[in-house]
Amino acid sequence: SGLVGSEMCIRDRTLIDGEIIEAKMVAADDKGVELEWKSREKKPTGKGKITVVNDRLLDYQSIKQTIVLITF
């Protein structure tokens, strides 16, 4: 797909709170898309936070809305 590698905001139908994921689309096929994003989470032990790379596979039926982000 021409949008692979693009940053986008995706609203997932399956999430109860209507969470919006701001992620990079790393792959797409006829079944769905694979998203990857970074988040800051608490360390398992001690103080501070660490950056974690998250990924999620979404099938097209579970995507409610997608917005492609354009940065200048």
Side-chain angles (χ1 to χ4, degrees):
S1 173
L3 294 175
V4 172
S6 299
E7 293 286 330
M8 39 187 58
C9 288
I10 302 219
R11 187 179 305 260
D12 188 345
R13 288 184 193 277
T14 62
L15 299 175
I16 296 169
D17 60 357
E19 177 187 6
I20 296 175
I21 303 168
E22 188 172 322
K24 182 178 186 179
M25 180 172 39
V26 293
D29 59 19
D30 58 343
K31 297 178 184 175
V33 295
E34 181 179 354
L35 304 173
E36 183 178 273
W37 69 98
K38 294 179 183 177
S39 63
R40 299 283 293 164
E41 298 180 7
K42 287 185 175 182
K43 286 183 177 180
T45 59
K47 294 183 179 180
K49 293 186 177 186
I50 56 172
T51 301
V52 178
V53 176
N54 302 293
D55 61 348
R56 182 183 291 175
L57 295 171
L58 285 177
D59 59 358
Y60 292 116
Q61 289 79 24
S62 66
I63 298 173
K64 183 175 182 179
Q65 180 182 32
T66 303
I67 300 170
V68 177
L69 299 177
I70 300 172
T71 55
F72 296 94

